[in-house]
């Protein structure tokens, strides 16, 4: 028989509450190009477009596996011009990846008003949620 685990709301909330504090004072980096296969895969040819900062307490407590980010500090001067396609969330050391996700104007992990980023412009995120999969 195939494995088919299903987690409860309490379990997915506990998992989200374990992951999200890893981002306290961390970084949200937005890139162009192809998203790597995993968050453990090094960034290679992708260009860093913008770097935002998670606050000291990055997320509130999860409910049913969904944690909502507290305010994210904007990047007031984007690093490069390009089309945002994915992001990497990192710990406060700026090197340890926690998770990656897609970027878009809809139906993506990180929703931006526009995926067209211009060097020197302000890049901000008005809201962000992290969701643990129930399986």
């Amino acid at each position: 028989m195939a494995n088919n685990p299903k987690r409860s709301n309490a379990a997915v909330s506990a998992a989200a509450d374990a992951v999200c504090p890893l981002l306290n004072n961390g970084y949200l980096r937005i890139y162009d190009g192809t998203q790597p296969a995993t968050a453990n895969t090094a960034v290679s040819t992708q260009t860093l477009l913008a770097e935002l900062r998670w606050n000291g307490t990055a997320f509130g407590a999860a409910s049913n596996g969904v944690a909502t980010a507290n305010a994210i500090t904007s990047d007031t001067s984007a690093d490069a011009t390009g089309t945002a396609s994915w992001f990497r969330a990192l710990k406060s050391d700026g090197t340890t990846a926690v998770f990656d996700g897609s970027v878009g104007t809809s139906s993506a992990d990180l929703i931006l008003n526009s995926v067209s980023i211009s060097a020197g412009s302000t890049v901000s995120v008005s809201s962000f949620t992290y969701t643990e999969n129930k399986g």
Side-chain angles (χ1 to χ4, degrees):
M1 176 178 271
N3 291 332
N4 192 22
K6 304 290 183 191
R7 297 187 294 167
S8 69
N9 287 337
V12 294
S13 290
D17 286 340
V19 169
C20 291
L22 296 173
L23 297 174
N24 292 348
N25 292 309
Y27 298 86
L28 176 63
R29 293 187 179 145
I30 300 173
Y31 294 90
D32 71 358
T34 303
Q35 181 178 340
T38 73
N40 294 315
T41 304
V43 175
S44 58
T45 61
Q46 302 89 340
T47 300
L48 175 64
L49 301 176
E51 179 177 274
L52 295 78
R53 293 295 304 263
W54 303 102
N55 284 319
T57 303
F59 287 81
S63 175
N64 299 326
V66 179
T68 300
N70 291 318
I72 300 168
T73 303
S74 299
D75 182 341
T76 58
S77 182
D79 298 85
T81 297
T83 303
S85 56
W86 68 283
F87 72 87
R88 178 160 286 173
L90 298 106
K91 293 176 71 172
S92 63
D93 62 11
T95 59
T96 306
V98 177
F99 59 83
D100 290 354
S102 60
V103 175
T105 56
S106 64
S107 300
D109 299 310
L110 174 61
I111 306 298
L112 298 176
N113 289 337
S114 172
V115 293
S116 295
I117 295 176
S118 297
S121 66
T122 298
V123 178
S124 60
V125 174
S126 57
S127 67
F128 184 94
T129 57
Y130 173 81
T131 303
E132 270 295 321
N133 189 344
K134 292 182 181 181

